[in-house]
DNA sequence: ATGTCGGGCAGGGCCCGA
């Protein structure tokens, strides 16, 4: 079972590049972020025509997450629990049953800039809520995959120019500590466990020639419960997608699970 | 550290978010 996460930065703007990547990479499941679309406007037939079931949790203009799956999606829920007043569409969950049942969480973690400030407070509060949900899911003792744009650079090795990020919400100590608290519940970050070396990125800014200079950061992650980590066969980043026509500023990150 | 995008609103540029 190949599972990918991809921040597409607007579904309308990616109506060509996203299907092209699907046809080439053939993932079974894709967790999408930043669809920037209401549910009714999401071009679901683009994906249904390719054999995917489509579930969205959108909002106007900003944020928005979705799941594309060749396996039927069960027990779908929308929204991160813990704050009924939070109207931002950043979390979706569903279960797929292959050889075994796998719980999928697609997430778009708040950026948090500028820090300090209310946006940073929201990021940290959101991560505390995510930790609660992550702990609940662990108690199920089943394969769980939490995949998305975490807006977290876990370590210096995950940035081409770490010094440029020291005051950024993606790299501040409190952000990284909150990420580690989730990992320390018992989750495994899939890509890093397969590739210990530095220099692998999932995002290159549109500005200042970041892609041409390979000035990237690794902020898109798949976290695995112990039961999912036991099934991990492979992980990778489809870097070449960033050099394609009309690309997102993120590229797909994927895992292959024996599930 | 900014050489760019995407989307909304509006009705052609500007503002916001990243």
């Amino acid at each position: 079972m190949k599972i990918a996460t991809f921040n597409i930065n607007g579904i309308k703007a990616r109506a060509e590049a996203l299907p092209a990547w699907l046809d080439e990479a053939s993932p079974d499941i894709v967790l999408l972020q930043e669809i920037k679309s209401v549910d009714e406007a999401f071009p679901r037939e683009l994906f249904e025509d390719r054999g995917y079931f489509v579930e969205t949790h959108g909002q106007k203009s900003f944020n928005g997450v979705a799941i594309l799956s060749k396996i039927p999606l069960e027990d779908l829920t929308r929204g991160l629990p813990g704050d009924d007043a939070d109207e931002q569409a950043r979390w979706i969950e569903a279960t797929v049953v292959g050889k075994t049942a796998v719980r999928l969480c697609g997430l778009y973690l708040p950026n948090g800039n500028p820090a300090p400030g209310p946006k940073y407070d929201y990021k940290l509060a959101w991560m505390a809520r995510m930790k609660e949900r992550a702990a609940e899911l662990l108690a199920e003792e089943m394969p769980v995959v939490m995949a998305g744009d975490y807006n977290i650079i876990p370590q210096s090795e995950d940035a081409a120019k770490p010094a440029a990020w020291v005051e950024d919400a993606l790299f501040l100590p409190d952000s990284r500590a909150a990420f580690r608290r989730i990992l320390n519940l018992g989750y495994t970050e899939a890509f890093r466990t397969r590739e210990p070396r530095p220099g692998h990125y999932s995002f290159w800014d549109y500005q200042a020639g970041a892609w041409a200079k390979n000035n990237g950061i690794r902020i898109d992650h798949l976290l695995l419960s112990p039961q999912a980590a036991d099934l991990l066969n492979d992980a990778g980043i489809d870097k070449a997608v960033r050099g394609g026509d009309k690309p997102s500023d993120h590229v797909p990150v994927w895992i292959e699970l024996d599930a």
Side-chain angles (χ1 to χ4, degrees):
Chain A
M1 182 184 291
K2 185 176 182 180
I3 304 172
T5 174
F6 191 2
N7 180 324
I8 54 172
N9 190 18
I11 185 62
K12 295 175 195 72
R14 233 53 66 202
E16 293 177 16
L18 176 57
W21 171 73
L22 290 173
D23 291 344
E24 175 206 326
S26 303
D28 297 295
I29 294 152
V30 189
L31 292 311
L32 297 175
Q33 302 88 41
E34 283 205 273
I35 65 172
K36 294 186 176 177
S37 167
V38 293
D39 296 331
E40 310 78 64
F42 191 86
R44 42 192 313 126
E45 56 293 336
L46 268 181
F47 311 106
E48 289 169 346
D49 290 349
R50 288 172 165 78
Y52 290 96
F53 297 96
V54 178
E55 295 289 352
T56 59
H57 178 39
Q59 70 179 87
K60 198 176 195 176
S61 305
F62 306 116
N63 309 318
V65 289
I67 307 181
L68 313 179
S69 176
K70 292 192 171 171
I71 304 163
L73 294 163
E74 304 175 15
D75 300 323
L76 194 97
T77 65
R78 294 176 175 84
L80 179 64
D83 182 0
D84 292 340
D86 184 1
E87 296 185 345
Q88 300 191 31
R90 297 178 174 276
W91 184 270
I92 190 167
E93 289 187 25
T95 298
V96 291
V97 183
K99 282 188 221 171
T100 180
V102 178
R103 188 67 174 165
L104 305 166
C105 306
L107 65 114
Y108 177 46
L109 205 148
N111 176 295
N113 283 303
K119 291 188 177 179
Y120 193 57
D121 296 341
Y122 175 68
K123 176 176 196 155
L124 294 179
W126 199 96
M127 293 184 80
R129 285 163 57 201
M130 180 178 167
K131 179 178 170 239
E132 293 305 305
R133 184 63 190 138
E136 287 176 2
L137 289 163
L138 272 188
E140 305 286 327
E141 300 190 341
M142 69 183 291
V144 177
V145 177
M146 302 191 298
D149 177 358
Y150 279 72
N151 270 314
I152 294 285
I153 302 166
Q155 305 185 103
S156 300
E157 291 84 348
D158 299 310
K161 298 184 178 180
W165 297 93
V166 291
E167 293 182 35
D168 193 284
L170 278 60
F171 194 58
L172 280 173
D174 285 347
S175 304
R176 296 157 64 199
F179 182 68
R180 282 197 305 275
R181 280 195 287 274
I182 295 171
L183 287 177
N184 289 343
L185 295 170
Y187 284 90
T188 297
E189 196 251 281
F191 183 82
R192 186 46 85 212
T193 198
R194 299 282 305 186
E195 172 54 78
R197 291 168 293 191
H200 296 275
Y201 312 124
S202 65
F203 168 91
W204 294 260
D205 203 305
Y206 287 124
Q207 300 185 67
W211 169 244
K213 297 183 211 166
N214 196 27
N215 180 14
I217 51 177
R218 196 173 68 88
I219 57 175
D220 299 273
H221 311 297
L222 297 102
L223 267 55
L224 310 178
S225 72
Q227 294 79 7
D230 285 345
L231 304 176
L232 182 64
N233 281 333
D234 202 2
I237 300 177
D238 285 353
K239 178 179 181 180
V241 170
R242 186 64 177 80
D245 291 336
K246 213 164 182 291
S248 171
D249 41 6
H250 296 249
V251 297
V253 183
W254 54 267
I255 57 172
E256 172 65 40
L257 284 189
D258 185 19

